[in-house]
Every structure is written in structure tokens, then in C-alpha cells.
Amino acid sequence: MTAENPTPRPTRVRIAPSPTGDPHVGTAYIGLLNYLFATQRGGEFILRIEDTDRTRFHAGSEQMIFDALKWVGLTWTEGPEVGGPHGPYRQSERTEIYRKYAQILLDNGTAYKSFESEAELEEMRRQQTAAKQPPRYNGAHRHLTPEQISAYEAEGRPAVIRLKVPENTSTTFRDELRGDITFDHNNVDDQVLMKSDGFPTYHLANVVDDHLMGITDVIRAEEWISSTPKHVLLYKAFGWQAPNFWHMPLLRNIDKSKISKRKNPVSLNYYRESGYLPEALLNFLGLMGGGMAQPTEQEIVSKGLNTKEGDIFSLAEMIEKFDFKRISLGGPVFDLVKLRWLNGEYIRKQSPEAFYASLRRTILSDDYLQAVASLVHTRLETLGQFGDMTSFLFSDNVLPTDAVFLPKKRTLEETLAFVPEQITALESADWDLTSIESALKKLGEEKQWSVKENFMLLRAIITGSATSPPLVESLVVFGKARTLDRMRRFLEAQKKIRR
Ligand code: GLU
């Protein structure tokens, strides 16, 4: 074996989501690609939780990631809840490991301690911005003497550990889809590897874990390309073989911007709660990036296909036919209209029993019906009123008239400007009575909207009406993802109407 041809290793790939909120469609997209890649090569697909950024950590998010990925039909052989030979698979449980490896880099001179305070770094950035230079670490502590380091330590100054990016040179790595990519080191910052709180940054933890977990191919979204030179430098600093890198095209909104919750529901919970079939969503994600060959003109004619039918395929067919070398780098558009069409195709293909079973798992599940029933139990005179009082919890959308949603003392403009504030406040609320109430109350106090106005507007948007079962209880039952989506759709609809 030569250096250029190291021994082939059994394929091992991973996804490494960070538990920062609702599970993202991008995680399922990259998860599917990794799953296909491993399965096609008889390899392993691993799930690792990257939870070292404690400021963005969201309790409950990890479980939602597991549930959502299982819902779309993905399975992994190693991970936090299934265990495996390379655990733990949760980075917050591996901090000792990162400390040990950071020390190796300090010892071999590829990393160094830097002692600047937050205020000093802020000042550095301010001066650079004023001089119209890109803000970056200026390398001041790159060459501290052992005495200087001891003196800072004796003062009790906290330190971070930074990567010593070699000066006046560049790093080239191969991207399996794009070919060679070169980064001039003048544009690569001396990345922090260990923070002063003793937690590693993404870069160090990611490289150490990919190495220790035997990852052969890193298949991730293209937004990580600019991190890759830092990772390649880290592999070199440790003397390790780097994995192959595949950066997948980012999912995009219809307007081609990077997919974002402002323009598209991105939570997998939304798709589950609003009645998408997991097979349809998985098929749709498989279409992104163009790894599936489309039927030829000839096949379309000979098999009597409708061209669009070439877009419909199962997970088994993807395993058989998905070709990573076919992936096209133009950003795949996450087109909800197409997803809805595809979902409709899947629904129509279901047997009556399967269709009914799908309803019973979702919008007609015992849990949902019971929760809805409890909202109106004491309000009915006849059972026949149930449908009228609860239809907003079963419909796909509602559109309140101005008279219903506009508070008396507010203009249309200020009302429509307040809805995004409500969305932001609710986004960060845990979905229970107290946290929804307190998020709305806090917002109301900040923006001087009375509880009455605040609730009236929200009630109108969610229920389409000025009267409804208790609002916050209804939101809990309706679910976070659908509530937020209905609010965004309300704003979209208003924009269209007023155009
Ligand atoms: N934790 C990163 C994320 O949230 C992982 C990126 C990678 O795959 O390296 O997506």
C-alpha cells in the first residue's frame, strides 16, 4: 500500500445533528444521503449528537431528532440510544477525550493557548472593521514564550486553544463532487478549538470523533465547505488520514435562497403533524440533488409513463439506483407544490385500509381526538356541534377577515408587523400552557400590546374566528409546527391580498 492508496476501509458514514430546536428537513435530507451511501456499500450509518454548543442547546430536541428520522424511515446502527463500539455518541459525554487531543496539539506545536478577554477580542474586531479588514484573530498570542504563558496562567486568565494555521500557504482538499478546492490561509482564521469553558468547538470535536469513529466519508451540506480546510489541517496536525468529503447542494426556497423557516416550513414535525406521508417526504428528499436517473424518452413511451411518474420511487429503489456521481450542484428547490403533488400520489396509491390507517395515526388518532374533545367538552349543547367548534383543528388553513383579526385600536400595518414578533416569541417557547402564556405575556409587555389584543389576533389567525375554545389550550393541541406554519401562511396570504 502506498501513501496515495491507503488500505480501503469499510464504509462508515454519519450524520451529526446539533440539538438546537425542531428537527430540520435538512437533517433528513443529509441523513437519507448518508443512509443510501452506507447501504449501497454494505457499510454502517451512524448518528452522533453534536451538543457542545451549550448556548444553543435545546432540551428535548435530541429526542425529536430520533423520532423524526425514524418517522421518515431511516435507521442507524450506532448512536446515543442504540449504543455501539465507538460510543459515547453524544459529544457532551466526550469532553475528556477532546481535552486529551487538544493537549496533543499543544504539545506538538500545531495549536496554542490564547488569553485575550472577550473585551480585547471585541476591540480587535472593531479596529479591523474600522480599517475595512475582515474581522479575524490577529495572531497576537501565537508565539508566547513559556514564561508569558505561565504568567497569564498565574493571573488566572482563562485561555482558549487555537489552531496554528500555517502562514503564507494554502490547503487543498478534494471534494468528491466538485474536485479540488483550495483555501488560501490568509483567509483561514486561527480557529478556536477549545473554549475557555472546557468545551470543544465544533471543529475539534467533529474531527476527533470522525477519526475515532472510523468515518470514511463525510457527507454533509455545502455550507460546511469553508470549515473543511480547518478540518484537513487538523487531520494533518494529528497525523491522521482524512475521510473523503462530499458536500451536498443546499436545499433552497422557491426564490433560490438557502432554505429558511421564514419562507418554508423546515421542521420535520410540521410535515408529520400536517399529514404528509413519510414515504412521500423521503421520496421527495431523494429527488433533491438529482441522484436518481430520470426515465428516458424511450422508457416513458414504452412503459406508457407520465413524465412525472419518473419522480416516484421507494427507498428500496433509491438504494438500488441512487447515483452519487449524478448529483447536480445547482441548488435543489424544496418546492412545496411538488411535495404536495407527490404526497397526493402516495395517498391515491394507498389501499382504503392503509389510507384509513394513516388518518388514524395522525389527524384522527385517539390521542388527537381526545385532546380536541377535551377542549370543547363543556361548551356543547349537542354532540353535533363538535365539528363546528373544532373545524380549525382539522382544516389545512383558515383565513380570517380584517374585521376578525384587526384589534380596534391598531392599524393594519402595525398588526401585520406584530405577527412576526409573535412568531419569534412562540418559536422559542416550549409547547405547554405556561411557556406559551409567558412568551406571549412577555412580548405583550415589551411591545405594549395588551393581553386582549395579543390573544385576539392570534385567535383570529389560528381559528379564523373571534370566538373559539380556550386559545392557549387549543395551540397546545394543534401543535407548535402547525401553529407557526399557520401564522406564516397568514402573513403570506395578507401579502398577496395587499399586493
Ligand atoms: N453539527 C453539524 C451540524 O449541525 C455537523 C456538520 C457535519 O456534518 O460536519 O450539521
Side-chain angles (χ1 to χ4, degrees):
M1 292 298 142
T2 61
E4 292 83 53
N5 288 314
T7 322
R9 298 183 284 166
T11 298
R12 290 173 59 81
V13 296
R14 74 346 180 238
I15 47 168
S18 296
T20 53
D22 275 13
H24 199 278
V25 280
T27 304
Y29 162 61
I30 297 294
L32 169 65
L33 294 170
N34 275 277
Y35 175 88
L36 293 174
F37 192 90
T39 312
Q40 289 177 338
R41 290 161 181 77
E44 304 293 336
F45 168 51
I46 294 154
L47 176 64
R48 179 172 76 227
I49 292 290
E50 298 206 331
D51 57 349
T52 56
D53 185 348
R54 302 316 280 177
T55 55
R56 294 178 63 222
F57 178 77
H58 181 283
S61 171
E62 180 184 297
Q63 191 58 46
M64 289 197 286
I65 293 173
F66 300 154
D67 292 346
L69 292 175
K70 283 183 194 151
W71 171 71
V72 290
L74 296 179
T75 48
W76 48 96
T77 47
E78 294 170 37
E81 24 56 282
V82 285
H86 299 276
Y89 293 89
R90 197 178 277 116
Q91 290 189 326
S92 57
E93 294 167 16
R94 299 171 64 83
T95 42
E96 279 313 312
I97 301 177
Y98 310 126
R99 263 180 226 143
K100 177 177 135 199
Y101 281 97
Q103 189 60 45
I104 292 177
L105 299 183
L106 285 176
D107 292 345
N108 74 14
T110 52
Y112 62 96
K113 285 189 181 170
S114 113
F115 293 87
E116 288 88 353
S117 65
E118 223 4 89
E120 287 168 325
L121 292 172
E122 194 45 55
E123 176 56 20
M124 191 185 299
R125 285 190 283 267
R126 200 194 58 73
Q127 287 181 9
Q128 287 164 332
T129 315
K132 301 221 176 339
Q133 291 163 352
R136 57 182 296 186
Y137 180 63
N138 66 7
H141 285 189
R142 260 181 163 232
H143 304 288
L144 293 182
T145 61
E147 293 71 32
Q148 286 172 310
I149 294 177
S150 309
Y152 277 134
E153 282 175 347
E155 275 176 38
R157 276 233 210 182
V160 300
I161 299 177
R162 289 181 185 274
L163 177 65
K164 198 182 276 175
V165 176
E167 282 162 305
N168 304 323
T169 166
S170 61
T171 287
T172 299
F173 62 88
R174 185 179 153 73
D175 178 285
E176 299 298 324
L177 298 175
R178 295 170 177 74
D180 284 351
I181 301 182
T182 298
F183 278 85
D184 184 335
H185 287 189
N186 292 327
N187 302 322
V188 183
D189 212 354
D190 275 4
Q191 180 64 51
V192 173
L193 303 175
M194 283 297 262
K195 294 175 276 185
S196 54
D197 64 4
F199 272 92
T201 56
Y202 154 70
H203 306 279
L204 178 70
N206 188 271
V207 165
V208 167
D209 285 351
D210 281 346
H211 174 73
L212 295 180
M213 295 180 182
I215 299 304
T216 53
D217 295 84
V218 165
I219 303 170
R220 61 183 168 202
E222 69 186 313
E223 62 191 321
W224 301 101
I225 288 183
S226 62
S227 296
T228 307
K230 297 173 186 173
H231 298 182
V232 170
L233 285 171
L234 278 169
Y235 283 102
K236 272 201 197 128
F238 284 118
W240 294 336
Q241 179 187 339
N244 302 319
F245 293 103
W246 305 73
H247 291 98
M248 296 296 151
L250 279 185
L251 300 180
R252 306 211 162 251
N253 298 313
I254 287 280
D255 62 8
K256 287 271 179 182
S257 56
K258 175 183 163 185
I259 196 167
S260 64
K261 59 186 170 192
R262 300 270 156 263
K263 301 192 177 154
N264 222 36
V266 293
S267 167
L268 289 166
N269 294 347
Y270 166 75
Y271 294 97
R272 178 163 61 175
E273 289 167 17
S274 39
Y276 286 83
L277 299 183
E279 304 83 3
L281 181 60
L282 203 61
N283 179 161
F284 180 70
L285 292 173
L287 274 173
M288 303 284 101
M292 288 296 278
Q294 291 300 303
T296 59
E297 228 18 78
Q298 209 182 8
E299 281 173 316
I300 292 173
V301 176
S302 68
K303 293 186 188 159
L305 291 180
N306 167 340
T307 27
K308 281 186 158 181
E309 285 168 19
D311 287 343
I312 302 178
F313 35 76
S314 64
L315 182 56
E317 284 170 296
M318 284 191 257
I319 294 172
E320 191 192 330
K321 298 200 188 123
F322 192 96
D323 181 356
F324 279 78
K325 293 291 179 191
R326 271 187 59 92
I327 285 177
S328 95
L329 296 175
V333 173
F334 196 95
D335 177 358
L336 271 182
V337 174
K338 178 143 190 182
L339 174 55
R340 285 176 77 96
W341 164 78
L342 195 59
N343 203 56
E345 292 290 309
Y346 273 81
I347 291 179
R348 278 186 285 284
K349 273 199 314 196
Q350 288 183 305
S351 66
E353 295 76 23
F355 170 60
Y356 184 65
S358 292
L359 289 172
R360 292 283 287 149
R361 263 196 303 276
T362 54
I363 201 151
L364 298 184
S365 73
D366 284 345
D367 285 352
Y368 192 63
L369 291 176
Q370 271 174 29
V372 174
S374 72
L375 289 175
V376 294
H377 184 168
T378 56
R379 303 174 159 244
L380 309 180
E381 286 171 342
T382 72
L383 301 180
Q385 292 172 309
F386 179 77
D388 299 330
M389 283 192 187
T390 61
S391 61
F392 69 97
L393 294 162
F394 295 94
S395 58
D396 190 38
N397 210 2
V398 299
L399 191 57
T401 58
D402 292 10
V404 170
F405 77 78
L406 208 55
K408 285 206 172 50
K409 295 192 189 128
R410 303 283 174 181
T411 64
L412 180 68
E413 211 181 9
E414 65 185 318
T415 303
L416 294 183
F418 187 64
V419 179
E421 308 273 0
Q422 285 182 320
I423 293 178
T424 311
L426 290 174
E427 249 162 15
S428 50
D430 288 326
W431 216 243
D432 55 47
L433 286 183
T434 18
S435 57
I436 295 176
E437 256 161 26
S438 71
L440 290 173
K441 201 166 152 242
K442 188 161 154 262
L443 172 70
E445 279 161 12
E446 272 166 28
K447 303 283 169 191
Q448 319 236 308
W449 271 62
S450 69
V451 175
K452 198 170 150 219
E453 293 172 316
N454 209 337
F455 275 48
M456 176 197 155
L457 173 59
L458 193 54
R459 183 189 314 279
I461 295 173
I462 300 301
T463 73
S465 156
T467 52
S468 77
L471 180 64
V472 181
E473 281 86 341
S474 301
L475 298 184
V476 171
V477 171
F478 194 44
K480 182 173 185 174
R482 292 176 75 196
T483 299
L484 293 173
D485 181 62
R486 189 164 284 182
M487 296 174 80
R488 291 190 191 105
R489 281 164 76 174
F490 167 79
L491 286 176
E492 279 300 309
Q494 291 300 324
K495 236 194 264 164
K496 274 199 196 123
I497 296 169
R498 321 276 161 195
R499 213 174 262 155

